[in-house]
Amino acid sequence: MEIKKIEFKGFRNLFDFSFTPDSNINILMGANAQGKTNITEAIWLFTGAKSFRGAKDREMVGFGKEKAELKMNFLSQGIERDAKIEILNKRKAFLDEKPLKSASHLAGNFCAIVFSPGDLGLVKDGPNVRRRFLDVAIGQLYPVYIELLKDYTRAVAQRNKIIKDYKNNSSISEMLDIFEAEIAEKGAKIVEYRKKYCKKTEPSTAEIYKGISKEKEKLEFSYVSSVEAEYLAEALYNARKTDMFSGVTSVGPHRDDLDFKINGISARSFGSQGQKRSIALSLKLAEAKTIEDIKGEQPVAILDDVMSELDPERQDYILNHIKDRQVFITCCDYSNIKNFEKGTVFNIEAGRIK
Ligand SMILES: Nc1ncnc2c1ncn2[C@@H]1O[C@H](COP(=O)(O)OP(=O)(O)OP(=O)(O)O)[C@@H](O)[C@H]1O
Ligand SMILES: [Mg+2]
């Protein structure tokens, strides 16, 4: 996967300009608030996923602008492709001039991985962060998963809405039956995808972690279901009474989690900060490896502001593992990039490349 050219128009603080990146390492260098992350955020949107900063679509349109437009020319499996994203209130996407049903339909065409400071909390933060990690990774590999997740989320939202009135209206019970059947059916498929992804990616994650820990530590991770998929329908039915009070659906894959063990001991409970960061880093590098194995092509790698958060050994580890592909690294300080000689440095200043 290689970006040949990217064009920005009305996007955040960026000037309207186009940019021809290096086919290998691109270092986006500049002081704070100049637009480095904005550039990587724009690139990431071509994976079909939402902003990795959690921004709403509208927030990415430049202040005072009516809309933003991004264009990308990239090589995938040796074939040149053109993608375009328009952002008004929502993202709209085009691939080779054809409009797509939704921007998420870009998924699977352009593949990238992003590692940003938020990802360093993958182990320490709440389970929603880990589920989102899985969902984004799986969505790029299997775009049908994105639709599945949307249907599932909608069914859970419907159940939440009606469960609040359940007390007052027993005829609602039939509607609950319908939504619970859908939650159970879609939920079982989601769990299947997630478990399959974990199984596929665990060996490389463990291998990478072993390398980072200098062969001293063994990492294992597993998918933890709030309830086994085959019992989900029953569990939903049984949870109606308790869910009535909380107004939320207490079981299902939207409550699942990942569990990490280092040398057999829970990393969340007992791991050091550094160990937790190393797990996050391993998961991200393994994500790239999994995409490569399945798609037969290396994804573009984006490292937003993480180099300064890691010690020199881990910085070196990353650089050794992501070389020989297209990489975008944002950086404020030359001292963090002294180890790469191969890349091109682009100086970002006030929303443009100087
Ligand atoms: N919708 C928008 N329209 C115009 N400007 C925006 C918009 N959203 C964000 N900005 C501005 O873009 C600027 C650059 O943001 P960005 O996050 O890319 O900086 P950065 O170079 O990555 O900085 P840092 O080194 O601090 O991470 C910020 O000053 C922010 O106020
Ligand atoms: Mg930034």
Side-chain angles (χ1 to χ4, degrees):
M1 202 68 62
E2 186 188 327
I3 302 170
K4 290 294 204 185
K5 189 175 168 193
I6 175 155
E7 218 175 302
F8 310 91
K9 214 173 181 180
F11 187 81
R12 294 229 191 232
N13 79 327
L14 301 180
F15 271 74
D16 297 353
F17 70 100
S18 68
F19 161 47
T20 307
D22 192 305
S23 59
N24 196 219
I25 297 178
N26 293 271
I27 296 154
L28 307 177
M29 174 69 84
N32 292 132
Q34 302 304 307
K36 304 180 298 294
T37 302
N38 293 345
I39 293 176
T40 57
E41 184 183 44
I43 293 172
W44 173 253
L45 291 179
F46 285 94
T47 63
K50 292 183 191 142
S51 160
F52 62 78
R53 295 168 146 175
K56 295 199 180 87
D57 290 348
R58 178 74 216 168
E59 291 167 2
M60 295 185 281
V61 178
F63 299 146
K65 304 267 166 67
E66 187 205 341
K67 66 168 185 175
E69 197 178 282
L70 302 167
K71 285 185 186 164
M72 183 193 272
N73 176 260
F74 64 99
L75 270 181
S76 167
Q77 316 282 357
I79 295 167
E80 238 182 84
R81 317 225 41 194
D82 282 304
K84 184 169 92 168
I85 297 174
E86 267 178 20
I87 315 172
L88 277 117
N89 281 319
K90 272 187 80 184
R91 282 170 296 148
K92 260 203 311 204
F94 301 78
L95 190 62
D96 300 323
E97 314 275 308
K98 290 190 196 77
L100 301 176
K101 210 170 131 206
S102 77
S104 65
H105 280 74
L106 280 170
N109 293 292
F110 172 75
C111 291
I113 61 133
V114 60
F115 193 41
S116 68
D119 295 311
L120 290 167
L122 249 168
V123 179
K124 125 176 128 25
D125 293 346
N128 57 322
V129 176
R130 290 180 284 283
R131 287 191 297 266
R132 177 155 167 78
F133 161 74
L134 283 178
D135 293 340
V136 172
I138 300 168
Q140 281 201 67
L141 291 168
Y142 310 102
V144 287
Y145 180 81
I146 300 170
E147 297 306 310
L148 190 61
L149 202 59
K150 276 188 197 159
D151 292 346
Y152 174 84
T153 310
R154 203 175 303 122
V156 171
Q158 301 273 24
R159 182 181 184 272
N160 290 348
K161 211 163 126 199
I162 53 182
I163 198 120
K164 288 177 191 153
D165 300 326
Y166 187 46
K167 206 167 18 184
N168 313 326
N169 186 350
S170 58
S171 70
I172 279 175
S173 157
E174 276 172 29
M175 274 164 76
L176 276 179
D177 290 343
I178 297 170
F179 287 117
E180 287 176 3
E182 186 172 4
I183 296 172
E185 186 216 323
K186 303 269 155 58
K189 289 186 187 151
I190 288 171
V191 171
E192 199 182 314
Y193 271 106
R194 287 182 180 170
K195 285 189 170 166
K196 188 167 108 183
Y197 180 82
C198 290
K199 200 167 162 219
K200 167 91 186 110
T201 200
E202 201 207 10
S204 21
T205 313
E207 184 63 31
I208 293 166
Y209 188 87
K210 197 168 130 193
I212 299 176
S213 73
K214 304 226 169 53
E215 316 278 313
K216 283 190 216 113
E217 294 171 3
K218 182 170 180 251
L219 173 74
E220 290 163 289
F221 79 88
S222 54
Y223 186 79
V224 187
S225 297
S226 57
V227 58
E228 285 308 318
E230 58 196 289
Y231 303 118
L232 186 51
E234 195 184 327
L236 286 162
Y237 182 83
N238 291 337
R240 282 183 191 185
K241 274 218 169 64
T242 46
D243 290 355
M244 225 161 64
F245 291 103
S246 60
V248 295
T249 297
S250 58
V251 288
H254 63 289
R255 288 296 177 102
D256 292 358
D257 202 354
L258 288 174
D259 182 45
F260 301 96
K261 286 198 169 65
I262 297 173
N263 294 341
I265 297 163
S266 162
R268 277 206 87 207
S269 311
F270 302 105
S272 72
Q273 287 288 8
Q275 284 173 318
K276 288 177 191 165
R277 284 169 170 234
S278 296
I279 296 177
L281 178 57
S282 308
L283 280 169
K284 281 287 163 184
L285 296 174
E287 184 187 348
K289 169 87 171 54
T290 304
I291 293 178
E292 191 187 338
D293 289 349
I294 293 177
K295 293 260 173 192
E297 192 172 27
Q298 287 179 326
V300 166
I302 299 168
L303 304 176
D304 182 39
D305 243 357
V306 283
M307 291 319 245
S308 56
E309 304 275 337
L310 300 168
D311 58 29
E313 279 184 23
R314 289 199 189 88
Q315 288 179 8
D316 282 350
Y317 194 91
I318 292 198
L319 292 175
N320 282 325
H321 272 76
I322 56 163
K323 59 183 185 203
D324 306 324
R325 80 177 71 198
Q326 197 173 39
V327 187
F328 294 83
I329 302 174
T330 69
C331 201
C332 294
D333 185 353
Y334 272 100
S335 69
N336 290 317
I337 57 157
K338 57 180 185 294
N339 292 331
F340 19 92
E341 288 130 19
K342 261 197 336 212
T344 305
V345 177
F346 295 94
N347 286 302
I348 315 298
E349 212 180 298
R352 58 175 117 198
I353 295 177
K354 280 279 161 187

